[in-house]
């Protein structure tokens, strides 16, 4: 785990935590020290992300450097969030009316708990849907004009039976949908407790308990998908800690196998002086009974992964290269070609792809004349019935001028179904007989350059 996010220094993180979470003179001094060391326009991303919360903490004080500019960042965050909440509000009203079990998590839940819609910069609203209500929830999203969003170049490891991921409306509001299957040791906890009900504008929304919100913050910081996630986790934990029962929190953290990560974050906050001294080292001392819980939890996680892997149909697990492509790869001596051939043989798994790109330098640009070798892809899965034929209606929405669009290979359950976009960028309808209880749709680029991005994909499963 990174102890310091990129673009920051330990000193700046301490100042950010104090300025955002400690009341009184000390917070003002921390903020003024920050802008003394670095001008406002050159502050790192981790500070910019914390500015709405810093403003909320300093807004009633005098002699605060760059307070009008801080206020501007807060107002921009408030305006963006209110527009996002306004566009997603009808979805939650329908969820409530239809009895759909859900929990809003992360930024939106914390904003609702705080009652300040600008306190946390947000790009989307994260929602976990109970497995048995997922189909019903996706129908609500469709009826309210939300469509699956596919971001260019991203590989999405989706769970079977449901589309999970980002859904975007015509107003560019984004809902990020999760299933308990995505993190069963943590998200499944959400529906074993009543949680809390807070207002989203004038609509009640269901959010987890403060203990689970804090555990999710630890999980999010542990993943650290973005460079600023680390400091955001510390800010969220600082806000939530006064609201939690420490005994219940420890049990939640323990069941979710996040004990070491939580202890690390709490120790960092204590060292920064933003919370009272506590013996967090006791959190790492587990009794024999608690160790048994952790062993069981890890066994369940491994079992879940094995079941998910077994459910992936053969054609999705492996995409074969053409004979010309294999011959062209063998003729090349560079590492990238060998890595690509190995990757395709073991199933083109997303985690392996990320390892190759981050640790081994990627696949490279082949430029092979024996046929195009796709280098990047994006995938979604949609529920279907094994052995029952149906039709897929697919429409990719591209960015940029039509003349700049490059064709991509369209794969359905691992089989090539031609190129997209179709002439005039029309939707295509494809006959498919699923060999599993879901269908995977994948569009793959020919190269990593010169291709316009796909904003989102509209995908519907039609009866035969």
């Amino acid at each position: 785990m990174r102890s310091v996010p990129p673009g920051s220094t330990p000193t700046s993180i301490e100042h950010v935590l104090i300025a955002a979470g400690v009341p009184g003179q000390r917070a003002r001094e921390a903020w003024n020290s920050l802008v003394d060391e670095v001008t406002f326009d050159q502050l790192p991303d981790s500070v910019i992300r914390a500015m709405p919360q810093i403003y909320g903490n300093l807004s009633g004080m005098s002699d605060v450097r760059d307070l009008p500019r801080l206020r501007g960042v807060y107002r921009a965050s408030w305006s963006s969030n209110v527009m996002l909440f306004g566009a997603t509000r009808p979805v939650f009203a329908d969820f409530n009316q239809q009895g759909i079990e859900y929990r809003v998590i992360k930024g939106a839940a914390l904003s609702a708990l705080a009652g300040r819609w600008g306190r946390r910069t947000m790009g989307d609203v994260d929602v976990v849907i109970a497995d048995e209500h997922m189909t019903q929830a996706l129908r609500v999203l469709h009826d309210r004009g939300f469509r699956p969003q596919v971001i260019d170049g991203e590989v999405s490891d989706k769970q079977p039976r449901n589309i999970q991921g980002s859904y975007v409306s015509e107003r560019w509001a984004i809902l990020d949908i999760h299933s308990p299957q995505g993190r069963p040791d943590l998200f499944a906890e959400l529906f074993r407790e009543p949680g809390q009900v807070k207002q989203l504008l004038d609509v009640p929304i269901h959010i987890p308990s403060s203990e689970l919100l804090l555990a999710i913050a630890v999980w999010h910081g542990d993943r650290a998908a973005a460079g600023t996630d680390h400091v955001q986790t510390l800010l969220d934990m600082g806000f939530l800690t006064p609201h939690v029962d420490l005994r219940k929190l420890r049990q939640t953290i323990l069941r979710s196998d996040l004990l070491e990560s939580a202890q690390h974050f709490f120790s960092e906050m204590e060292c920064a002086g933003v919370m009272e001294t506590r013996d967090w080292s006791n959190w790492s001392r587990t009794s024999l009974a608690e160790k048994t819980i952790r062993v069981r939890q890890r066994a369940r996680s491994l079992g879940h992964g094995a079941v998910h892997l077994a459910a992936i149909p053969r054609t999705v697990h492996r995409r074969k290269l053409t004979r010309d492509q294999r011959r062209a790869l063998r003729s090349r001596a560079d590492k990238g070609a060998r890595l690509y051939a190995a990757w395709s043989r073991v199933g083109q798994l997303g985690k392996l792809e990320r390892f190759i790109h981050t640790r081994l330098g990627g696949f490279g640009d082949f430029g092979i004349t024996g046929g195009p070798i796709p280098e990047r892809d994006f995938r979604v899965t949609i529920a279907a019935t094994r052995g029952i034929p149906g039709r897929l209606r697919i429409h990719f929405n591209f960015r940029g001028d039509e003349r700049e669009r490059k064709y991509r290979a369209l794969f359905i359950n691992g089989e090539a179904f031609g190129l997209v976009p179709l002439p005039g960028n029309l939707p295509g309808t494809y006959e498919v007989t699923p060999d599993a209880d879901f269908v995977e749709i994948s569009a793959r680029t020919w190269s990593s350059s010169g291709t316009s991005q796909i904003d989102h994909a509209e995908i519907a499963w039609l009866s035969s």
Side-chain angles (χ1 to χ4, degrees):
M1 182 188 302
R2 293 190 299 268
S3 59
V4 180
S8 301
T9 66
T11 302
S12 71
I13 288 183
E14 292 174 6
H15 286 168
V16 166
L17 296 177
I18 294 169
V22 176
Q25 175 74 14
R26 194 162 162 240
R28 178 174 55 196
E29 291 174 353
W31 169 251
N32 288 343
S33 295
L34 268 177
V35 291
D36 280 343
E37 295 171 6
V38 182
T39 63
F40 190 94
D41 293 328
Q42 295 179 325
L43 288 169
D45 290 343
S46 58
V47 181
I48 294 172
R49 184 162 181 174
M51 281 182 183
Q53 196 166 336
I54 292 173
Y55 174 74
N57 197 33
L58 301 179
S59 58
M61 301 184 191
S62 58
D63 299 326
V64 177
R65 307 276 175 83
D66 292 303
L67 186 62
R69 303 181 78 176
L70 264 180
R71 184 185 302 116
V73 175
Y74 175 84
R75 286 177 173 173
S77 175
W78 180 91
S79 176
S80 174
N81 289 351
V82 168
M83 291 180 67
L84 176 60
F85 297 148
T88 55
R89 169 191 167 280
V91 172
F92 294 111
D94 288 350
F95 284 177
N96 296 338
Q97 184 179 14
Q98 297 182 28
I100 294 173
E101 282 286 327
Y102 71 92
R103 295 292 186 270
V104 177
I105 61 172
K106 296 167 63 174
L110 288 168
S111 294
L113 192 60
R116 299 190 65 167
W117 299 117
R119 74 173 299 277
R120 198 179 189 278
T121 301
M122 293 169 50
D124 56 27
V125 175
D126 289 87
V127 188
V128 182
I129 308 291
D131 285 330
E132 63 271 22
H133 294 147
M134 181 66 80
T135 301
Q136 190 179 357
L138 295 180
R139 191 177 301 118
V140 169
L141 290 174
H142 183 273
D143 292 344
R144 287 295 182 179
F146 282 79
R147 298 293 181 264
Q149 183 187 45
V150 182
I151 304 298
D152 200 322
E154 292 292 328
V155 176
S156 300
D157 296 322
K158 306 299 181 185
Q159 299 292 338
R161 300 195 63 82
N162 306 300
I163 288 183
Q164 299 174 65
S166 296
Y167 286 74
V168 62
S169 72
E170 293 180 355
R171 295 168 58 185
W172 289 102
I174 299 175
L175 279 167
D176 201 8
I177 302 298
H178 305 268
S179 162
Q181 296 182 34
R183 178 71 200 242
D185 54 349
L186 182 59
F187 287 173
E189 293 271 339
L190 298 174
F191 303 104
R192 295 177 186 149
E193 60 169 38
Q196 309 175 70
V197 179
K198 298 292 179 180
Q199 291 291 123
L200 177 71
L201 301 181
D202 59 342
V203 172
I205 61 170
H206 297 265
I207 69 173
S209 67
S210 297
E211 289 79 18
L212 268 171
L213 282 174
L214 199 149
I216 291 170
V218 171
W219 164 72
H220 188 237
D222 202 28
R223 295 169 65 206
T228 57
D229 284 346
H230 182 93
V231 72
Q232 185 64 66
T233 292
L234 295 173
L235 291 170
D236 292 346
M237 291 176 67
F239 168 73
L240 287 166
T241 299
H243 300 275
V244 302
D245 179 323
L246 292 178
R247 184 186 57 81
K248 289 175 58 179
L249 173 64
R250 188 176 185 280
Q251 292 303 312
T252 300
I253 292 289
L254 182 68
R255 286 193 299 269
S256 303
D257 198 21
L258 293 168
L259 194 63
E260 289 85 356
S261 299
Q263 200 241 350
H264 173 90
F265 285 124
F266 276 125
S267 296
E268 190 170 348
M269 294 166 64
E270 185 178 338
C271 291
V274 296
M275 61 187 307
E276 63 184 80
T277 302
R278 298 176 186 269
D279 188 11
W280 297 113
S281 61
N282 286 336
W283 279 46
S284 62
R285 298 172 187 167
T286 53
S287 66
L288 180 60
E290 290 172 336
K291 289 178 180 177
T292 303
I293 293 174
R294 296 180 67 184
V295 169
R296 288 175 182 169
Q297 184 58 57
R298 291 181 179 179
R300 280 198 299 269
S301 296
L302 289 172
H304 170 78
V307 169
H308 174 53
L309 185 62
I312 299 177
R314 175 183 52 79
T315 52
V316 173
H317 188 63
R318 176 176 298 178
R319 294 192 182 91
K320 296 181 179 178
L321 301 174
T322 66
R323 183 179 304 169
D324 287 340
Q325 290 171 343
R326 291 197 300 271
R327 184 184 300 115
L329 281 173
R330 286 196 299 270
S331 69
R332 297 177 64 93
D334 57 282
K335 180 182 70 174
R338 293 195 300 272
L339 284 173
Y340 192 93
W343 177 62
S344 65
R345 282 195 296 270
V346 300
Q348 302 185 3
L349 302 177
K351 290 183 179 179
L352 178 59
E353 181 186 34
R354 287 192 288 273
F355 176 82
I356 290 172
H357 276 286
T358 58
R359 301 293 180 85
L360 303 179
F363 299 125
D365 190 2
F366 299 108
I368 296 174
T369 58
I373 293 183
E375 291 181 351
R376 308 165 72 192
D377 88 348
F378 17 82
R379 305 174 191 163
V380 291
T381 57
I382 187 169
T385 303
R386 186 192 303 266
I388 303 297
R391 292 176 296 139
L392 274 174
R393 186 178 184 275
I394 303 173
H395 184 204
F396 289 105
N397 293 272
F398 290 87
R399 251 185 234 169
D401 189 276
E402 186 171 355
R403 292 170 298 180
E404 300 173 357
R405 292 176 184 152
K406 303 292 183 181
Y407 285 100
R408 295 122 187 280
L410 173 66
F411 290 87
I412 301 175
N413 275 2
E415 297 181 17
F417 271 73
L419 303 176
V420 289
L422 296 176
N425 198 28
L426 296 173
T429 303
Y430 307 88
E431 298 285 342
V432 179
T433 300
D435 57 0
D437 57 0
F438 67 99
V439 175
E440 185 209 56
I441 302 97
S442 173
R444 304 181 63 82
T445 64
W446 295 145
S447 67
S448 58
S449 61
T451 52
S452 66
Q453 291 186 335
I454 290 179
D455 279 333
H456 63 283
E458 298 175 4
I459 301 170
W461 179 249
L462 311 173
S463 59
S464 297

